[in-house]
């Protein structure tokens, strides 16, 4: 896939059946997607759909490996699944001009021995079907149905763009303690939790590395005004370290390494680096953690600028009212996850007439939508520890 094409593509729609919290879910997806809902409503599980597709398409992955990482089909299947226990994922890929340039559908289940089997795999381009499994070869050799054509280079030639796009998905949820851990990079590569974050920076070509660090310093000065420089260095053992220069009363300032950075500074550094590193969809869980509310308000604008420059899609979960106060957020960009008896329902904020009326009446977006995600009987939590 050419780089310019990859920048233009995004997930435009996702349809799920019997995936974790979701017995049925269908949602249109914009270039920015804010997932909002109570705890345990399925925000992480919804993001994991895109990680699952990435794991299938990535080198060293595949359908069976993606399932192994999630402990098998039974752990993925919705507890509310009854008459139709198959898990089904249908992802549409395109852009604003052609939102259904590609459609990829995968249904799977497990046999009595708990072996995962593909029930169907379909691919269409501009509405024209180019793959429909099982086919005659699958029927004559059922063992073929333990692998998708998506993961097989010899089989996905007609839809290699789909495989490349799924493989470009990036999930990021940095844990500052892993970045500071001396043995953080042993055996790890592209760790979404930051275990090899400094190694990722070190592996980047020097000119690109320095240019990105300069841009990160410019952005970070909103949150850390004393920071004037960032650079990468290696210690005598060869381990990489990120150094930041801070202005203070001494004329030369002072340097600190990642061991001395606050959790919020490290998370924001990682967030900014990841946003600049790659062009595929970026998945983020609660990027507001450890950050000052005024910094959190800046995050949606940062992503908007990145998308204007790179066209990169960002899907994130959040509990933060400050994140949602940005007036540039559209109602079609916010998906509300609402738990019900038969699984979590997913709806765009703009589909609620009451939300539109509240906004028209002067309420802010978080004030209009967050009460809908308030856990039932949450006020009883304080009484649960009373004798």
């Amino acid at each position: 896939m050419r780089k310019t094409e990859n920048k233009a593509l995004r997930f435009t729609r996702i349809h799920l059946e019997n995936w974790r919290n979701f017995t049925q879910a269908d949602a249109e997806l914009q270039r920015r997607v804010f997932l909002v809902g109570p705890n345990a409503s399925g925000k992480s599980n919804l993001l994991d759909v895109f990680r699952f597709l990435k794991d299938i398409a990535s080198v060293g992955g595949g359908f069976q490996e993606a399932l192994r990482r999630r402990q098998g089909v039974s752990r993925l299947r919705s507890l509310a699944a009854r008459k139709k226990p198959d898990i089904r994922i249908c992802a549409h890929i395109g852009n604003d001009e052609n939102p259904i340039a590609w459609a990829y559908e995968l249904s799977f289940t497990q046999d009595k021995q708990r072996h995962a089997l593909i029930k169907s795999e379909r691919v269409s381009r501009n509405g024209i079907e180019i793959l429909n499994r099982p086919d005659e070869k699958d029927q004559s050799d059922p063992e073929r149905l333990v692998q998708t054509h998506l993961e097989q280079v010899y089989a996905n030639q007609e839809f290699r763009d789909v495989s490349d796009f799924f493989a470009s998905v990036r999930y990021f949820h940095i844990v500052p303690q892993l970045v500071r851990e001396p043995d953080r990079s042993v055996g790890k590569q592209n760790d979404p939790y930051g275990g090899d974050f400094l190694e990722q920076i070190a592996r980047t070509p020097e000119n690109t590395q320095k240019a990105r660090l300069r841009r990160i310093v410019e952005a970070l000065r909103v949150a850390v005004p004393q920071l004037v420089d960032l650079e990468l260095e290696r210690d005598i053992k060869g381990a990489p370290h990120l150094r930041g220069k801070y202005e203070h009363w001494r004329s030369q300032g002072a340097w600190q390494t990642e061991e001395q950075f606050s959790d919020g500074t490290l998370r924001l550094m990682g967030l900014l680096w990841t946003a600049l590193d790659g062009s595929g969809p970026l998945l983020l869980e609660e990027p507001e953690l450890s950050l000052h509310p005024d910094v959190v308000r800046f995050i949606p604008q940062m992503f908007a600028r990145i998308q204007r420059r790179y066209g990169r899609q960002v899907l994130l979960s959040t509990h933060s009212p400050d994140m949602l106060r940005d007036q540039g957020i559209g109602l079609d960009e916010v998906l509300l996850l609402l738990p019900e008896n038969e699984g979590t329902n997913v709806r765009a904020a703009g589909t609620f007439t009451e939300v539109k009326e509240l906004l028209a009446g002067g309420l802010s977006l978080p004030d209009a939508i967050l009460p809908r995600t308030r856990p039932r009987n949450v006020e009883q939590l304080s009484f649960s520890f009373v004798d």
Side-chain angles (χ1 to χ4, degrees):
M1 183 186 297
R2 293 194 305 272
K3 190 175 182 181
T4 53
E5 292 176 338
N6 188 40
K7 287 182 180 180
L9 288 176
R10 62 179 170 88
F11 289 105
T12 57
R13 193 180 197 100
I14 191 72
H15 177 84
L16 304 174
E17 294 179 13
N18 296 330
W19 174 270
R20 296 187 184 268
N21 300 59
F22 310 97
T23 52
Q24 289 275 350
D26 190 272
E28 293 186 4
L29 305 172
Q30 306 304 318
R31 286 205 171 275
R32 290 188 309 180
V33 180
F34 298 85
L35 303 178
V36 181
N39 292 327
S41 61
K43 297 185 294 296
S44 296
N45 290 339
L46 185 53
L47 290 177
D48 192 47
V49 172
F50 307 105
R51 296 181 69 190
F52 182 73
L53 294 172
K54 172 188 174 65
D55 289 346
I56 294 175
S58 297
V59 175
F63 176 61
Q64 297 295 333
E65 175 62 16
L67 289 173
R68 185 196 66 78
R69 294 175 185 178
R70 292 160 178 82
Q71 300 181 298
V73 174
S74 59
R75 290 296 184 95
L76 290 178
R77 182 183 289 129
S78 170
L79 296 177
R82 293 186 180 89
K83 295 182 180 180
K84 296 181 179 180
D86 297 350
I87 299 172
R88 179 170 174 255
I89 302 168
C90 183
H92 288 173
I93 306 166
N95 51 40
D96 293 340
E97 291 73 29
N98 185 8
I100 53 171
W102 293 98
Y104 179 81
E105 179 184 324
L106 179 67
S107 298
F108 57 94
T109 188
Q110 64 183 8
D111 60 20
K112 293 182 180 179
Q113 287 73 44
R114 296 196 172 186
H115 298 145
L117 297 173
I118 295 167
K119 296 296 292 291
S120 67
E121 184 182 22
R122 297 187 179 93
V123 181
S124 63
R125 182 175 187 176
N126 295 320
I128 300 174
E129 188 172 80
I130 60 177
L131 176 71
N132 189 345
R133 301 180 67 200
D135 54 23
E136 292 182 2
K137 292 182 179 180
D138 295 325
Q139 291 169 354
S140 63
D141 183 9
E143 284 296 314
R144 290 164 50 93
L145 292 174
V146 301
Q147 288 185 313
T148 65
H149 277 11
L150 181 72
E151 68 200 81
Q152 302 173 45
V153 175
Y154 71 88
N156 68 15
Q157 186 174 7
E158 286 190 88
F159 55 97
R160 187 76 50 76
D161 283 0
V162 175
S163 179
D164 289 347
F165 175 76
F166 287 164
S168 74
V169 171
R170 182 106 182 252
Y171 171 82
F172 183 77
H173 187 60
I174 195 169
V175 178
Q177 289 76 10
L178 291 181
V179 179
R180 300 188 185 102
E181 174 60 39
D183 299 324
R184 56 188 171 267
S185 45
V186 176
K188 295 179 180 178
Q189 188 170 3
N190 296 320
D191 179 17
Y193 304 105
D196 68 335
F197 171 56
L198 299 184
E199 283 288 358
Q200 290 179 37
I201 298 176
R203 289 194 295 265
T204 305
E206 185 176 0
N207 289 340
T208 302
Q209 177 195 115
K210 290 182 177 180
R212 287 181 184 172
L213 291 177
R214 283 196 300 270
R215 296 193 65 189
I216 289 173
V217 169
E218 293 172 5
L220 273 175
R221 297 206 65 174
V222 175
V224 191
Q226 300 87 3
L227 184 67
V228 294
D229 196 9
L230 270 179
E231 64 179 30
L232 191 87
E233 65 171 10
R234 290 189 181 272
D235 61 24
I236 58 175
K237 296 181 180 179
H241 295 278
L242 199 58
R243 295 205 316 159
K245 185 177 183 180
Y246 289 81
E247 289 180 330
H248 57 37
W249 59 272
R250 291 178 179 170
S251 59
Q252 300 300 317
W255 290 88
Q256 292 184 354
T257 67
E258 73 279 353
E259 295 177 353
Q260 298 162 299
F261 294 158
S262 69
D263 285 2
T265 299
L266 269 178
R267 286 180 58 84
L268 195 52
M269 285 179 180
L271 180 62
L272 291 164
W273 178 270
T274 306
L276 295 171
D277 185 28
S279 56
L282 178 59
L283 314 176
L284 302 171
E285 292 203 64
E286 300 181 28
E288 68 268 14
L289 293 177
S290 306
L291 297 178
H292 189 279
D294 287 337
V295 176
V296 173
R297 293 192 184 102
F298 164 75
I299 291 177
Q301 299 173 35
M302 179 185 73
F303 289 141
R305 287 196 289 271
I306 289 170
Q307 286 163 343
R308 283 195 295 270
R309 182 165 182 148
Y310 302 105
R312 189 174 194 182
Q313 186 175 31
V314 179
L315 302 95
L316 63 89
S317 65
T318 183
H319 288 285
S320 171
D322 298 293
M323 177 85 71
L324 299 171
R325 291 193 193 282
D326 188 288
Q327 295 183 354
I329 298 176
L331 289 179
D332 59 347
E333 294 181 298
V334 180
L335 296 181
L336 300 185
L337 277 63
L338 307 173
E340 299 176 354
N341 292 335
E342 294 297 316
T344 295
N345 188 20
V346 181
R347 289 180 60 182
T351 64
F352 293 90
T353 301
E354 182 182 350
V355 169
K356 293 181 179 179
E357 292 174 347
L358 291 172
L359 292 175
L363 257 65
S364 67
L365 180 61
D367 290 336
I369 65 173
L370 289 180
R372 290 185 169 275
T373 67
R374 183 174 181 266
R376 296 177 182 176
N377 304 319
V378 68
E379 66 280 352
Q380 295 181 10
L381 184 62
S382 60
F383 296 109
S384 60
F385 295 97
V386 178
D387 292 334

